[in-house]
Amino acid sequence: MKIQMPSALKKLIKSLKGRGYKAYKELQGKSFEFSPFTVCFEHVQGDPFAQPTRLSVSLDLGAVGFPAIFFDTPTRCLALEDFLLRELNRNIKTSSVRIKGTGKSGVIAVQAVGQSILCRSGARILGGKLNLIFFAGLPAGGRSILEQECLRMFEEAIQPVWAQSLLPEALNFSRIEQAIATLEDFSALQMALQENDWSAFVSNGSLLPRSGGNSDLPLEEQAVLFQAPEGLSAWVELPHAGQVQGMPVPKGINLIVGGGFHGKSALLKSIQSAIHPHVHGDGRERIATVSSAVKVRAEDGRPVQDIDLSGFMGDLPSVTSTRHFSTRSASGSTSQAVNIIEAIESGAEFLLMDEDTCATNFMIRDARMQALIHTDMEPITPFLDRAEEIHEKFGVGILLVMGGCGDYFEPASQVIAMENFLPRLVTEEAKQIVQAEPGKRVKETSQPFPTVLKRRRDLRAVDFSRGRKEIVIQTRGLSSLTLGDNEVETHYLEQLQEEGQLMVCGWILHRLKELQVDSDLSDVKGLKKIIADMETEGLASIAPYNTGLFVLPRLQEALAVLNRIR
Ligand code: ADP
Ligand code: MG
């Protein structure tokens, strides 16, 4: 199939020869049959340095020869959307065509993708049609239109990328089948969690470590592949992979112990990221975690608004009551306690913590310290004394990396030791140690853990406007979200995967503020409703138009952002 640049578009571009950049605006809003694509110039940039021009591109998948089984279920649509975006990104990156011009002249792009498979507005399939957002920097020399370069960009750069990435004859169908199989297997694995009362499952052969501290790509060399330990191993049946063996994380209090550098954190991180599926070849595609799981950490400096902290904190010096606790800057232990309560509020069924990012005085208080500092002088009830209660009362599973404190052997239902990157089940040994050395520590809970209330944060005080702009929602990587003049720090929301999720969180909060005008829904209920609406009306329905850069976040992240507004 040959892609044909429409003569009307050619003619229009030629007519812009030598004119000032603003003349490109003549394209705005115009649609062209760019057979087999339909292309619309949604927004034309104002100058060569501005964000590239945004095109929407649609394609009838069946008509060009994609088998219907590639897009006949929501899961398959998601797999194909993700697959095609990756193809586009790859072919854009490897394209050697260079277009001349100033600023962003000749730049072509689509939404970027990470290692997770997520619902992204840059490519959506609806009713058998692919809807793509494509960015193109319209070429200019200085401020004068370079019409020949513009034609070249369409014919020599864009058309080949579309042909290589989106048309069946250039695609390897077996790779699409593989992408679908990977995602369907992940979905089945996540279902198996519910059926078996597991919080997570790590299949044998998974590759957990990443290539670097700030890279999400697999470690290429000398990675030890995961192998379930004797005594904590199970089989699951997946639709494509068949019988798969691995380690379930039962819904209890699970401890990961072991010496430093033996792979404890790598295991935990893989599990915390497996709330979302991973792309084929990532190494984590057969790891699944309950989708509501929340990684909890200490986050000193975060603001807190009216939370009942009394389950973890007795009366604090200078604070009247911890039943309605607020602060502009929480301490390490306080922030971690708040993060746990807010995770429960969000409906999390699984909490993960790593000693590397925990506040020690929140996690433990040993017998000697109890002897030296009387309970009356220590407002903190350590997590150690609440873990079982939280597990039972709220039905949440817990997974804890704790290489430095054996006091957790007592509440633990499973103890897994990492040794040279492989797990060994040591629950029996740990329990025997407890029997042999009972210890002198006393449990420090007087009151039962309070109910976790579904709060409602009044958003009237949050102003999304700035200057003459009515709504300003901006992201800076994953580390902050700006709403009007407010900057929300999101750096420690470890489970945010892509910037587009944070952007959508901003829009969700804008919608929540509107929703609050005539409803008294709690934050959680409001967010649930908004996210459900987005699922039926489309991800881009959250904002005035589709930027092509949105990614669906979880309720957990949206609530976490809300709770960090100052
Ligand atoms: P711990 O938390 O036990 O101190 P980490 O999980 O941080 O250990 O791992 C220590 C180092 O070993 C890291 O550089 C990590 O990338 C690497 N690593 C972790 N798991 C594996 C594995 N399965 N195979 C190879 N290297 C690994
Ligand atoms: Mg570690």
Side-chain angles (χ1 to χ4, degrees), residues 209 219 222-224 259-266 421:
L219 179 71
Q222 296 182 331
V224 177
F261 242 65
H262 279 268
K264 303 184 296 298
S265 296
F421 309 129

Side-chain angles (χ1 to χ4, degrees), residues 261 263-266 354-356 401:
F261 242 65
K264 303 184 296 298
S265 296
D354 189 331
E355 60 185 351
D356 293 350
V401 169

Side-chain angles (χ1 to χ4, degrees), residues 433-449:
I433 291 169
V434 171
Q435 286 214 317
E437 285 175 45
K440 296 200 185 75
R441 170 165 212 286
V442 284
K443 209 170 160 167
E444 296 188 319
T445 47
S446 46
Q447 316 252 322
F449 200 90

Side-chain angles (χ1 to χ4, degrees), residues 244-553:
V244 169
Q245 195 177 20
M247 182 183 85
V249 177
K251 195 167 184 173
I253 301 174
N254 298 276
L255 217 58
I256 302 174
V257 300
F261 242 65
H262 279 268
K264 303 184 296 298
S265 296
L267 174 59
L268 191 88
K269 281 188 187 136
S270 298
I271 294 174
Q272 80 189 46
S273 74
I275 48 170
H276 298 301
H278 288 105
V279 69
H280 173 79
D282 172 86
R284 298 170 293 186
E285 44 288 55
R286 287 189 199 145
I287 306 176
T289 300
V290 289
S291 60
S292 65
V294 173
K295 164 72 186 290
V296 169
R297 56 173 294 158
E299 192 186 344
D300 56 318
R302 67 154 284 184
V304 179
Q305 280 266 334
D306 193 11
I307 197 163
D308 183 351
L309 200 57
S310 61
F312 289 121
M313 302 277 166
D315 287 338
L316 300 175
S318 82
V319 171
T320 37
S321 163
T322 51
R323 291 197 171 273
H324 294 278
F325 178 81
S326 300
T327 178
R328 289 191 60 78
S329 178
S331 70
S333 54
T334 310
S335 60
Q336 194 173 350
V338 169
N339 286 349
I340 289 177
I341 298 165
E342 288 178 348
I344 295 170
E345 181 183 3
S346 80
E349 293 170 286
F350 187 31
L351 300 179
L352 301 103
M353 285 182 249
D354 189 331
E355 60 185 351
D356 293 350
T357 51
C358 284
T360 309
N361 61 336
F362 176 72
M363 297 307 286
I364 55 179
R365 188 164 128 79
D366 70 7
R368 285 185 175 150
M369 197 53 78
Q370 286 181 328
L372 184 66
I373 307 292
H374 192 256
T375 320
D376 294 349
M377 295 306 289
E378 174 55 274
I380 302 173
T381 303
F383 183 70
L384 177 62
D385 289 332
R386 289 296 195 190
E388 279 171 297
E389 206 184 346
I390 285 176
H391 164 57
E392 279 155 26
K393 181 164 179 165
F394 302 106
V396 293
I398 293 168
L399 181 62
L400 212 64
V401 169
M402 183 52 78
C405 177
D407 287 346
Y408 274 93
F409 293 170
E410 272 176 70
S413 37
Q414 244 87 230
V415 185
I416 301 157
M418 289 304 281
E419 295 170 349
N420 299 315
F421 309 129
L422 288 171
R424 184 164 71 86
L425 191 66
V426 295
T427 316
E428 286 309 314
E429 283 171 69
K431 296 291 178 187
Q432 277 165 17
I433 291 169
V434 171
Q435 286 214 317
E437 285 175 45
K440 296 200 185 75
R441 170 165 212 286
V442 284
K443 209 170 160 167
E444 296 188 319
T445 47
S446 46
Q447 316 252 322
F449 200 90
T451 321
V452 172
L453 297 175
K454 298 258 191 280
R455 293 172 297 166
R456 178 185 156 99
R457 166 92 179 254
D458 189 347
L459 289 175
R460 274 176 303 186
V462 180
D463 186 357
F464 285 77
S465 74
R466 188 202 295 161
R468 270 179 296 164
K469 288 209 169 121
E470 201 186 329
I471 307 174
V472 174
I473 298 173
Q474 285 166 348
T475 48
R476 194 150 46 81
L478 293 173
S479 56
S480 79
L481 174 71
T482 305
L483 307 173
D485 286 322
N486 301 304
E487 185 164 327
V488 188
E489 269 174 57
T490 53
H491 189 69
Y492 290 120
L493 303 184
E494 292 182 13
Q495 288 169 298
L496 270 177
Q497 288 294 313
E498 293 182 10
E499 195 167 350
Q501 291 175 309
L502 188 54
M503 178 62 84
V504 172
C505 284
W507 283 103
I508 288 175
L509 297 182
H510 182 261
R511 178 74 56 88
L512 184 65
K513 180 178 172 175
E514 291 175 344
L515 192 67
Q516 282 186 347
V517 173
D518 46 25
S519 94
D520 54 4
L521 291 178
S522 66
D523 295 335
V524 169
K525 282 205 172 132
L527 293 175
K528 263 195 191 143
K529 180 182 169 359
I530 293 166
I531 291 172
D533 288 350
M534 284 167 68
E535 275 160 0
T536 51
E537 286 159 37
L539 171 55
S541 68
I542 194 70
Y545 63 90
N546 185 5
T547 60
L549 299 172
F550 296 141
V551 186
L552 188 68

Side-chain angles (χ1 to χ4, degrees), residues 90-101 104-108 137 139 146 148-158 160-161:
R90 194 165 53 85
N91 287 317
I92 288 171
K93 208 169 153 194
T94 55
S95 163
S96 56
V97 182
R98 292 288 166 264
I99 304 294
K100 279 191 301 204
K104 299 206 169 81
S105 292
V107 166
I108 59 175
L146 292 177
Q148 284 302 328
E149 288 301 299
C150 188
L151 290 172
R152 248 181 25 91
M153 177 177 73
F154 277 100
E155 291 186 324
E156 294 173 28
I158 297 179
V161 164

Side-chain angles (χ1 to χ4, degrees), residues 19 21 24 48 100-103 105 138-147 149:
R19 292 179 61 190
Y21 203 88
Y24 269 135
K100 279 191 301 204
T102 317
S105 292
L138 303 181
R143 313 233 159 230
S144 319
I145 288 175
L146 292 177
E147 90 293 349
E149 288 301 299

